[in-house]
Amino acid sequence: MTYLEECARAIRELHGCKCAHVRTVPVSEVFRGREIWRGDVEVFDLTGHAKARRAYAWGYPSDKPGDGWEITTVLEIPPVDSPQTAVKIAIAAHARRRGSS
């Protein structure tokens, strides 16, 4: 399965809707003058989701051999309105989870 297929599968499984890839957007997130994330965000149009018309996805190879990709998906629901805000929200959510562990 290709990377884009993995992203689409994650969206379908997590959000229960169909999706179509629209484009790839390079994103760089800087915090306190330091780049903390850089990568490509895949933009998907959604069909059949009750609240969102678009989703964003990105990933990295799994640490486990043969496990494909670790995919992050974020729906375009306010305050998320772009690939950049999707990355910011995901980073903040990850930091909150780490802080509460």
Side-chain angles (χ1 to χ4, degrees):
M1 189 176 296
T2 69
Y3 172 69
L4 285 177
E5 291 170 337
E6 290 265 357
C7 289
R9 181 190 56 78
I11 291 168
R12 286 191 308 272
E13 289 180 3
L14 290 170
H15 305 296
C17 59
K18 294 180 181 180
C19 62
H21 185 255
V22 177
R23 67 180 174 275
T24 302
V25 178
V27 174
S28 174
E29 181 59 28
V30 176
F31 182 71
R32 295 185 180 166
R34 195 178 102 217
E35 185 175 71
I36 58 172
W37 192 88
R38 174 187 292 272
D40 289 334
V41 176
E42 307 304 335
V43 180
F44 290 84
D45 282 342
L46 303 181
T47 303
H49 193 277
K51 296 182 181 178
R53 293 184 304 177
R54 184 163 279 172
Y56 305 100
W58 60 92
Y60 56 91
S62 175
D63 290 340
K64 300 174 187 172
D67 270 3
W69 296 84
E70 298 287 333
I71 304 293
T72 298
T73 68
V74 178
L75 295 174
E76 187 179 81
I77 296 173
V80 177
D81 62 1
S82 68
Q84 293 78 11
T85 58
V87 169
K88 286 180 184 184
I89 293 292
I91 289 170
H94 180 74
R96 281 194 301 277
R97 284 192 304 270
R98 286 183 56 196
S100 64
S101 300

